């Protein structure tokens, strides 16, 4: 495990910090093609059979693509879907920002969290699945925004500084709470439902190795966290206010309509941060977990605010990252 | 060794379920339990056990009691948790008793038992055959020490000593939880009574069976490596929140996709070729090879994708 924190005065600075950090973790670094719109730049980072392209552009954002190798200034088999941390025009990021990096090599995982404008957080992360038999290199990536989002919407239902969430539960025990992004933030961590693809994983199982994306009811499509949705609607436990940390599991739909977990994010958990402040550290035995809002913490609207209103927060949906400074 | 796999047979006056009770006693005493009562004087034979738990500082009470009817042709074993022990009280009137009945058999039973110092789990292969289950003792609460007094489960198929037998097609194992097996009505057949912090036994929702979509019943592994899912107990207690109580110890959900009952799943260690091995031999070989061994067991006569659990033998 490794951890680093610092300040960045631009997305260019953030990219440089990510590159420098991952180089110290054994990644090779070469120049990548520029992004768009300019000014922009990117770097290609490789370790073993996974490669990523991290860069910035004038959208402005810091973006992340995945690949299976490097050829010149480009990725081999680049992901069509990509993820990013971005500055929405409705509520631009005021630099400098604070960043925190979390890294593990068992399995290979990297998490970047930024804090800006006081209470706002965004996330960008990738890793290599340790689930056997899934084919491909198992590289997964996700982030607060889908690469396809322009960040230009400023009002009404196109406000891209909002998070639109959906929550429900039944007396039969079913339930869920997650971002339904529409125009807003997806959140990352493969949490979202709906059509915005802010996460992808390269694996086989249904034909040749390919980048799989979120798509309900479609063979090869990824699903949200339905294995633990109900628990998010029960937490924190009333009897002891426990902050139970729930595994994040990426499930893929098969041609026979069955589901296969293709990745488990070993260094991240979802939880409800009703009783936890951003940056708090939860200690369970020898494990430490650092707590962050999915976007911004709000205890009055615990489940966020639904489409079409949305809100500049994520309720008490939180992410805990394994912390081993 | 915390497990026992074996077959017992019986006849009139020497029924098989009595021998199962004796096997439970032997296994329990070898794994941290002290026998407080073993009364075999009547037809309803009783076993009450006490343990200091895995921590060595707890005070856990569980019990087993046979009950049977020749005219109705059932030969069952009720399990129960207690919160104490009073020597002068009957089995049913022990402090904090909550009984659940497990169908068993008089003629032949193949049993799968696993015990540690905080709970005992078991499965009986009887009759046609069907596989009946129990879980009695502590579960693993998501709580710090002292927050959850007596986190106990009395889990089997019947509400107490119901006069029903293994051939009742409605019975289920206790692991689906409330609303778990059928989505449209409460679970009336499998019984998994959890003792809440307020001392009330109640059935809870169970992940992964109680979810909004189908990892419990529609899961398949990516290849030959099966993925075990923790069975997590929770409820919705008020308008906005609930409780995520904890998870079962040593019992996990496993998909039935390309799977079969009494398969033995190896986790880690040097791969073992199980060809020609009995489940017991496979378990022994896997543990000797440095792996973890999970026996796959179905719910009674059901063999759908969502009707299996894995019982770890260690």
């Amino acid at each position: 495990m490794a951890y680093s924190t610092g300040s960045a005065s631009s997305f260019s600075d953030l990219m440089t910090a990510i590159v420098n950090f991952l180089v110290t973790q054994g990644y090779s670094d070469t120049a990548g093609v520029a992004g768009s719109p300019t000014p922009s730049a990117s770097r290609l980072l490789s370790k073993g059979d996974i490669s990523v392209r991290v860069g910035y552009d004038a959208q402005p954002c810091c973006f992340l693509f995945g690949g299976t190798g490097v050829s010149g200034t480009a990725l081999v088999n680049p992901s069509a879907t990509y993820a990013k941390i971005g500055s929405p025009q409705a509520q631009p990021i005021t630099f400098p920002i604070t960043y925190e990096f979390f890294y593990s090599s068992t399995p290979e995982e990297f998490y970047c969290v930024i804090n800006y404008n006081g209470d706002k957080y965004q996330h960008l992360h990738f890793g290599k699945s340790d689930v056997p038999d899934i084919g491909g290199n198992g590289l997964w990536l996700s982030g607060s925004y889908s690469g396809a989002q322009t960040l230009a919407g400023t009002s009404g239902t196109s406000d891209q500084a909002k998070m639109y969430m959906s929550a429900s539960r039944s007396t039969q025990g079913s339930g869920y709470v997650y971002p339904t992004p529409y125009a807003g933030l997806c959140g990352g961590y493969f949490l979202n439902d709906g059509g915005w693809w802010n996460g992808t994983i390269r694996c086989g199982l249904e034909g040749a190795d390919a980048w799989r994306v979120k798509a309900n009811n479609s063979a090869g499509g990824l699903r949200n966290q339905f294995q633990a949705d109900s628990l998010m609607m029960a937490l924190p436990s009333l009897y002891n206010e426990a902050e139970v940390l729930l595994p994040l599991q990426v499930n893929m739909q098969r041609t026979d309509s069955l589901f296969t977990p293709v990745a488990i994010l070993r260094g991240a958990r979802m939880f409800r941060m009703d009783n936890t402040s951003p940056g708090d550290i939860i200690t369970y035995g020898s494990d430490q977990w650092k707590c962050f809002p999915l976007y911004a913490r709000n205890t009055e609207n615990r489940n966020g605010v639904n489409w079409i209103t949305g809100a500049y927060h994520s309720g008490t949906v939180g992410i805990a990252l394994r912390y081993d400074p | 060794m915390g497990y026992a796999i074996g077959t017992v047979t019986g006849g009139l006056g020497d029924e098989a379920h009595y021998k199962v009770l004796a096997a439970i006693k032997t296994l329990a005493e070898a794994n941290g339990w002290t026998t407080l009562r073993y009364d075999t004087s009547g037809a309803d034979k009783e076993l009450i056990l006490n343990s200091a738990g895995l921590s060595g500082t707890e005070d856990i009470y569980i019990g087993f009691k046979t009950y049977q009817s020749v005219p109705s042709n059932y030969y069952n074993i009720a399990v129960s948790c207690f919160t104490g022990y009073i020597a002068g009280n009957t089995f049913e009137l022990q402090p904090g008793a909550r009984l659940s009945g497990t169908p068993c058999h008089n003629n032949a039973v193949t049993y799968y038992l696993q015990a540690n110092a905080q709970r005992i789990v078991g499965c009986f292969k009887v009759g046609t055959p069907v596989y009946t289950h129990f879980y009695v003792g502590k579960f693993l609460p998501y709580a710090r020490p002292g927050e959850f007094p007596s986190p106990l489960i009395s889990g089997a198929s019947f509400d107490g000593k119901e006069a029903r037998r293994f051939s009742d097609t409605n019975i289920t194992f206790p692991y689906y939880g409330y609303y778990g097996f059928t989505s449209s009505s409460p679970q009336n057949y499998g019984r998994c009574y959890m003792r809440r912090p307020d001392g009330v036994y109640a059935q809870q929702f169970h992940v992964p069976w109680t979810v909004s979509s189908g990892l419990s019943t529609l899961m398949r592994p990516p290849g030959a490596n099966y993925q075990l899912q923790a069975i997590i107990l929770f409820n919705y207690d008020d308008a906005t929140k609930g409780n995520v109580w904890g998870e079962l110890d040593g019992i996990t959900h496993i998909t039935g996709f390309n799977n079969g009952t009494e398969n033995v799943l190896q986790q880690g260690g040097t791969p073992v070729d199980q060809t020609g091995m009995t489940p017991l031999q496979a378990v022994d070989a896997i543990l000797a090879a440095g792996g973890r061994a999970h026996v796959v067991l179905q719910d009674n006569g059901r063999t759908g994708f969502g009707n299996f659990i894995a019982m770890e033998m260690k």
Side-chain angles (χ1 to χ4, degrees):
Chain A
M1 293 293 295
Y3 169 81
S4 179
T5 185
S7 175
S9 59
S10 66
F11 281 128
S12 172
D13 268 5
L14 180 63
M15 180 195 75
T16 301
I18 292 172
V19 170
N20 290 342
F21 177 76
L22 289 175
V23 166
T24 65
Q25 308 308 326
Y27 280 76
S28 64
D29 166 40
T30 59
V33 293
S36 175
T38 57
S40 64
S42 73
R43 307 297 301 185
L44 303 174
L45 299 163
S46 292
K47 188 176 185 182
D49 64 350
I50 64 171
S51 298
V52 297
R53 175 172 164 247
V54 59
Y56 70 94
D57 64 35
Q59 197 172 49
C61 74
C62 181
F63 59 78
L64 178 67
F65 285 83
T68 60
V70 170
S71 177
T73 59
L75 290 171
V76 176
N77 295 316
S79 57
T81 292
Y82 66 106
K84 63 191 177 190
I85 285 172
S87 178
Q89 290 184 23
Q91 281 194 357
I93 291 177
T94 301
F95 287 92
I97 59 175
T98 301
Y99 64 77
E100 293 182 70
F101 300 151
F102 303 78
Y103 169 82
S104 168
S105 60
T106 53
E108 201 69 25
E109 290 185 355
F110 169 74
Y111 299 91
C112 165
V113 183
I114 66 165
N115 174 216
Y116 62 97
N117 296 8
D119 66 341
K120 300 293 189 296
Y121 291 79
Q122 288 192 41
H123 305 253
L124 193 66
H125 31 271
F126 70 88
K128 178 178 169 62
S129 172
D130 61 357
V131 174
D133 303 333
I134 64 169
N137 63 358
L139 175 61
W140 56 260
L141 62 92
S142 186
S144 287
Y145 281 106
S146 162
Q149 292 173 278
T150 66
L151 310 183
T154 57
S155 63
T157 55
S158 64
D159 185 339
Q160 292 188 291
K162 286 185 174 178
M163 181 172 276
Y164 303 90
M165 299 186 70
S166 184
S168 175
R169 71 179 202 182
S170 76
T171 55
Q172 286 78 35
S174 63
Y176 57 82
V177 53
Y178 45 58
T180 48
Y182 297 101
L185 286 91
C186 303
Y189 302 96
F190 298 89
L191 282 176
N192 68 301
D193 196 16
W196 289 105
W197 299 340
N198 72 325
T200 186
I201 181 170
R202 186 168 182 85
C203 64
L205 295 183
E206 299 299 340
D209 298 352
W211 289 102
R212 311 293 181 180
V213 296
K214 177 77 172 55
N216 288 349
N217 305 317
S218 174
L222 306 180
R223 294 293 299 265
N224 60 306
Q225 301 293 325
F226 58 67
Q227 78 283 355
D229 282 348
S230 301
L231 304 180
M232 286 292 280
M233 290 302 286
L235 290 171
S237 294
L238 284 165
Y239 86 97
N240 67 349
E241 296 294 340
E243 310 284 13
V244 179
L245 307 181
L246 302 170
L248 290 154
Q249 189 164 292
V250 184
N251 303 298
M252 193 176 99
Q253 187 162 339
R254 311 295 297 275
T255 52
D256 49 20
S257 296
L258 303 181
F259 297 96
T260 295
V262 291
I264 300 165
L265 279 54
R266 301 295 180 185
R269 299 284 190 273
M270 61 178 175
F271 76 114
R272 297 300 289 250
M273 56 189 314
D274 292 60
N275 307 314
T276 310
S277 297
D280 281 358
I281 294 170
I282 295 175
T283 301
Y284 287 130
S286 59
D287 293 339
Q288 294 188 99
W289 299 85
K290 196 161 188 180
C291 304
F292 301 98
L294 193 60
Y295 180 30
R297 177 174 178 262
N298 184 293
T299 56
E300 292 182 11
N301 294 291
R302 298 181 59 252
N303 297 323
V305 178
N306 206 343
W307 174 263
I308 60 173
T309 304
Y312 301 111
H313 64 76
S314 49
T316 61
V317 174
I319 294 294
L321 298 176
R322 190 181 293 276
Y323 178 62
D324 188 13
Chain B
M1 190 171 68
Y3 61 93
I5 301 172
T7 298
V8 290
T9 57
L12 195 61
D14 185 31
E15 283 77 3
H17 70 315
Y18 293 150
K19 295 177 180 177
V20 172
L21 186 70
I24 293 171
K25 176 176 182 289
T26 299
L27 182 68
E29 290 176 342
N31 288 279
W33 295 89
T34 300
T35 297
L36 302 178
R37 176 186 296 176
Y38 186 51
D39 182 355
T40 60
S41 59
D44 293 353
K45 305 185 189 309
E46 299 178 8
L47 171 64
I48 296 179
L49 302 164
N50 174 236
S51 168
L54 295 172
S55 68
T57 62
E58 297 160 80
D59 198 17
I60 305 170
Y61 299 86
I62 63 173
F64 300 82
K65 182 173 183 175
T66 66
Y67 71 102
Q68 51 281 311
S69 167
V70 174
S72 298
N73 194 22
Y74 65 78
Y75 301 83
N76 300 339
I77 297 177
V79 303
S80 183
C81 299
F82 310 114
T83 54
Y85 175 67
I86 299 174
N89 281 16
T90 65
F91 187 93
E92 291 77 4
L93 292 180
Q94 293 299 320
R98 189 30 166 130
L99 276 65
S100 302
T102 313
C104 202
H105 208 277
N106 59 327
N107 287 333
V109 181
T110 295
Y111 57 78
Y112 293 84
L113 302 171
Q114 206 282 324
N116 62 28
Q118 64 179 6
R119 64 98 183 94
I120 301 177
V121 294
C123 175
F124 306 143
K125 177 185 179 182
V126 297
T128 49
V130 297
Y131 294 77
T132 66
H133 298 248
F134 73 84
Y135 183 119
V136 62
K138 187 178 172 183
F139 67 98
L140 301 170
Y142 295 153
R144 298 184 187 281
E147 284 184 343
F148 198 141
S150 299
L152 300 172
I153 282 177
S154 173
S157 293
F158 297 150
D159 179 7
K161 297 185 293 181
E162 287 187 76
R164 299 160 65 186
R165 70 194 297 269
F166 70 89
S167 58
D168 184 332
T169 56
N170 286 323
I171 61 175
T172 74
F173 65 22
Y175 300 120
Y176 299 124
Y178 197 63
Y179 272 106
F181 181 59
T182 59
S183 59
S184 59
S185 62
Q187 176 55 261
N188 288 324
Y189 304 111
R191 301 287 178 169
C192 192
Y193 296 105
M194 189 201 80
R195 189 177 190 276
R196 299 188 315 222
D198 62 2
V200 175
Y201 285 93
Q203 297 197 81
Q204 309 296 321
F205 301 134
H206 291 189
V207 163
W209 275 285
T210 306
V211 291
S212 55
S213 53
L215 201 60
S216 59
T217 57
L218 295 173
M219 183 179 174
R220 62 175 286 186
N225 291 285
Y226 282 75
Q227 297 144 306
L228 305 174
Q229 302 278 318
I231 299 173
I232 301 172
L233 283 64
F234 75 103
N235 75 346
Y236 293 149
D237 206 34
D238 70 7
T240 59
K241 298 180 190 174
N243 295 282
V244 179
W245 304 109
E247 65 186 65
L248 301 185
D249 175 10
I251 300 289
T252 50
H253 167 278
I254 187 169
T255 179
F257 181 87
N258 270 354
N259 209 344
T261 199
E262 299 184 81
N263 283 349
V264 182
L265 175 71
Q266 178 170 359
Q267 185 178 18
T270 305
V272 171
D273 179 0
Q274 298 182 32
T275 305
M277 291 185 179
T278 65
L280 176 59
Q281 290 169 333
V283 168
D284 289 342
I286 290 169
L287 296 181
R292 296 170 63 182
H294 305 260
V295 178
V296 179
L297 296 162
Q298 71 188 54
D299 166 29
N300 290 276
R302 301 177 181 85
T303 56
F305 293 155
N307 301 128
F308 290 84
I309 55 96
M311 180 187 296
E312 181 170 11
M313 299 295 183
K314 58 183 178 180

